[in-house]
């Protein structure tokens, strides 16, 4: 489940932060820092970029908390800021090359390469394999599946955030799941083949 | 005929699907397995553990958000004269580019428009002359942020402008690709970062002029 679901700061804490209390801001950061970083890592896949998104989001929260009048809406407000920044980053020049590679290259090969780097074995659990498969998806499909399946955005909201249509969001979600299936099946087959005793 | 992934996702998420699709699921073991797999994939994604940011992240935030001259990081969020001058100079060149390649009847920006304003701003000397690699990297990062902060391109743009943008972006990506290789010496690295800053400057020029031209 999205880490933002557990981000429910007390109204008094939000109010203190709104008045410039930096200790209150730090307490808020303790609640939303990891969810923002996780969101950015899942969407962008690069620790340096995720760190940058986190810091930009924090600065925006500190400077514009007055725009968030309702403490109940705080987590959603922060999530929206971070999501917009991640999607802007995906649209930027840094990611164009990765996007084109992701769309045109063999993503199965990317996962196989990732598997070779750490080596197959029982230490690689299902969650780790799923995380690797997610990171091997093309950026747009990866963003849509994470925003929809985990962060709870609707197709209409995703369409609005990306400046695309609802059907685009739906087709990207389907594409993401088709790719995930291919990646995980391939991975399972690779593992089962490698665990089989040799007949020679 | 089996249900499509989109239809199965609609079923998974409780969205309406054609009656025949729902009926098909009652009889088809393959599609039922697929539906379960989609549910498991969603549940698996939701169960991935949260990732922790670097321990120093909050300290960096404090430096950035500081209202006064708290350090180099804090300066990132204040407009800097050098940067503004560079942007203005960039705009001058961009306007020149647009006027040189465009089909404007008069060949000059309309008086009182933003284009006219930036075209009348004198260009400063290059701000990256003699800069070391760290300064170039920092400047490149600032330009990247400034570009990201610019409004989206207008719906209708000149073909020549679109081509210029694509060429500049391709050039930047080519440099990024070279920079990502490990076997380049410090001098070559510095030269590449300098080229990158120049290209990003030019890209900023074109994008700025594109926006000004659209008004």
């Amino acid at each position: 489940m999205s880490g933002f679901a557990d981000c429910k700061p007390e109204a008094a804490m939000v109010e203190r932060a709104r008045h410039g209390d930096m200790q209150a801001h730090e307490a808020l950061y303790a609640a939303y820092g990891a969810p923002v970083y996780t969101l950015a890592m899942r969407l962008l896949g690069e620790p340096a970029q995720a760190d940058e998104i986190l810091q930009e989001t924090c600065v925006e929260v500190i400077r514009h908390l007055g725009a968030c009048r309702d403490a109940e809406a705080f987590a959603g407000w922060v999530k929206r800021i971070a999501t917009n920044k991640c999607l802007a980053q995906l649209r930027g020049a840094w990611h164009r090359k990765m996007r084109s590679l992701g769309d045109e290259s063999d993503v199965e090969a990317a996962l196989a390469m990732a598997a070779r780097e750490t080596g197959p074995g029982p230490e690689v659990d299902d969650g780790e394999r799923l995380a690797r498969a997610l990171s091997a998806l093309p950026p747009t499909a990866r963003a849509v599946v994470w925003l929809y399946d985990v962060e709870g955005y609707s197709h209409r909201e995703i369409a609005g955030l990306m400046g695309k249509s609802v059907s685009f969001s739906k087709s990207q979600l389907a594409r993401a799941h088709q790719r995930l299936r291919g990646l995980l099946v391939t991975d399972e087959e690779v593992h089962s083949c490698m665990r089989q005793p040799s007949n020679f | 005929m089996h249900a499509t992934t989109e239809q199965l996702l609609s079923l998974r998420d409780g969205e309406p699907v054609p009656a025949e699709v729902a009926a098909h699921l009652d009889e088809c073991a393959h599609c039922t397995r697929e539906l379960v797999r989609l549910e498991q994939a969603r549940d698996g994604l939701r169960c991935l553990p949260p990732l922790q940011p670097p321990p120093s992240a909050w300290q960096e935030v404090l430096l950035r958000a500081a209202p006064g001259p708290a350090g180099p990081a804090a300066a990132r969020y204040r407009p800097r004269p050098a940067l503004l001058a560079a942007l203005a100079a960039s705009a001058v060149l961009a306007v020149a580019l647009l006027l040189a390649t465009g089909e404007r009847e008069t060949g000059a920006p309309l008086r009182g428009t933003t284009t006219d304003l930036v075209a009348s701003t004198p260009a400063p000397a290059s701000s990256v002359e003699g800069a070391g690699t760290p300064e170039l990297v920092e400047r490149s990062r600032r330009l990247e942020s400034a570009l990201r902060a610019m409004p989206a391109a207008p719906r209708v743009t000149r073909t020549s402008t679109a081509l210029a943008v694509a060429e500049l972006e391709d050039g930047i990506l080519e440099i990024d690709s070279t920079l990502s290789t490990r076997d380049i010496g410090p001098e070559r690295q510095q030269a590449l970062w300098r080229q990158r800053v120049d290209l990003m400057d030019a890209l900023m020029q074109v994008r700025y002029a594109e926006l000004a031209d659209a008004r």
Side-chain angles (χ1 to χ4, degrees):
Chain A
M1 190 56 90
S2 164
F4 288 100
D6 297 327
C7 178
K8 294 172 183 169
E10 293 175 9
M13 189 68 74
V14 176
E15 192 58 29
R16 278 173 53 196
R18 194 178 285 135
H19 285 91
D21 182 336
M22 291 309 290
Q23 283 186 335
H25 270 295
E26 187 167 2
L28 293 179
Y29 169 79
Y32 73 74
V36 168
Y37 186 74
T38 302
L39 170 71
M41 273 298 290
R42 297 299 184 206
L43 263 61
L44 303 173
E46 293 285 333
Q49 290 183 351
D51 192 20
E52 181 71 14
I53 295 294
L54 172 63
Q55 293 193 25
E56 287 182 5
T57 302
C58 291
V59 170
E60 193 149 335
V61 169
I62 290 169
R63 299 215 166 145
H64 302 292
L65 186 56
C68 177
R69 286 288 168 199
D70 183 4
E72 291 283 313
F74 176 77
W77 180 68
V78 175
K79 182 165 79 172
R80 182 61 69 112
I81 292 171
T83 303
N84 275 325
K85 289 185 181 299
C86 288
L87 294 179
Q89 182 82 357
L90 281 177
R91 285 191 291 268
W94 283 103
H95 260 81
R96 271 191 47 189
K97 184 182 172 190
M98 285 179 66
R99 184 162 55 232
S100 64
L101 283 175
D103 285 345
E104 293 162 14
S105 71
D106 185 357
V107 289
E108 286 80 3
L111 183 71
M113 188 173 72
R116 278 199 301 276
E117 285 172 357
T118 53
E123 72 275 12
V124 181
D125 62 19
D126 287 348
E128 178 62 24
R129 288 173 52 232
L130 185 58
R132 283 186 195 170
L134 178 72
S135 68
L137 293 179
T140 305
R142 186 172 67 225
V144 170
V145 74
W146 188 263
L147 294 178
Y148 185 86
D149 274 355
V150 180
E151 300 296 348
Y153 283 105
S154 68
H155 284 301
R156 186 173 297 281
E157 288 171 320
I158 293 170
L161 286 163
M162 291 188 159
K164 306 281 187 183
S165 64
V166 168
S167 51
F168 172 85
S169 177
K170 286 184 174 181
S171 68
Q172 285 294 319
L173 182 68
R175 185 183 182 203
H177 276 288
Q178 285 162 358
R179 293 252 183 158
L180 280 176
R181 184 183 194 280
L183 289 165
L184 292 168
V185 166
T186 302
D187 199 28
E188 280 164 10
E189 286 169 355
V190 167
H191 283 224
S192 63
C193 287
M194 295 186 79
R195 285 175 191 146
Q196 281 176 2
S198 170
N199 292 325
F200 298 103
Chain B
M1 189 152 169
H2 292 305
T4 64
T5 306
E6 261 189 59
Q7 289 169 334
L8 290 171
L9 284 165
S10 293
L11 272 169
R12 184 195 74 171
D13 299 326
E15 291 178 4
V17 292
E20 58 267 28
V21 173
H24 172 77
L25 259 288
D26 289 337
E27 300 168 354
C28 179
H30 170 80
C31 287
T32 304
R33 274 198 308 275
E34 281 301 294
L35 180 58
V36 170
R37 189 191 61 76
L38 290 170
E39 288 169 348
Q40 288 173 339
R42 178 194 57 199
D43 296 345
L45 288 170
R46 289 179 176 176
C47 287
L48 289 178
L51 302 170
Q52 294 302 320
S56 61
W58 179 246
Q59 294 306 317
E60 286 282 319
V61 170
L62 291 178
L63 283 172
R64 280 191 175 202
R76 290 175 192 161
Y77 280 79
R78 294 197 300 277
R80 288 160 37 109
L83 180 59
L84 293 177
L87 294 184
S90 297
V92 173
L93 287 173
V95 170
L97 176 68
L98 280 177
L99 294 181
T101 55
E103 301 84 24
R104 196 183 284 281
E105 286 179 10
T106 62
L110 294 173
R111 185 176 294 276
T113 62
T114 308
T115 314
D116 178 40
L117 175 68
V118 295
S120 62
T121 306
S126 171
S127 56
V128 294
E129 197 71 38
T133 302
E135 291 165 271
L136 292 166
V137 172
E138 177 59 15
R139 181 165 169 75
S140 187
R141 198 195 65 77
R142 285 178 198 278
L143 283 165
E144 191 90 42
S145 297
L147 273 166
R148 280 208 310 271
M150 287 182 87
R155 281 178 182 273
V156 180
T157 190
R158 293 167 189 265
T159 306
S160 55
T161 308
L163 286 172
V165 168
E167 259 184 40
L168 290 166
E169 288 183 343
D170 286 348
I172 292 165
L173 289 173
E174 199 171 315
I175 290 173
D176 289 347
S177 174
T178 311
L179 279 168
S180 66
T181 59
R182 293 175 183 173
D183 303 328
I184 50 173
E187 284 183 12
R188 173 84 175 123
Q189 264 195 3
Q190 184 170 356
L192 285 169
W193 278 108
R194 189 179 304 282
Q195 284 174 26
R196 192 178 198 281
V197 167
D198 288 344
L199 286 178
M200 294 207 66
D201 254 333
L203 181 58
M204 180 67 95
Q205 294 160 15
V206 178
R207 289 280 290 109
Y208 191 85
E210 179 186 40
L211 291 171
D213 195 54
R215 292 184 181 185

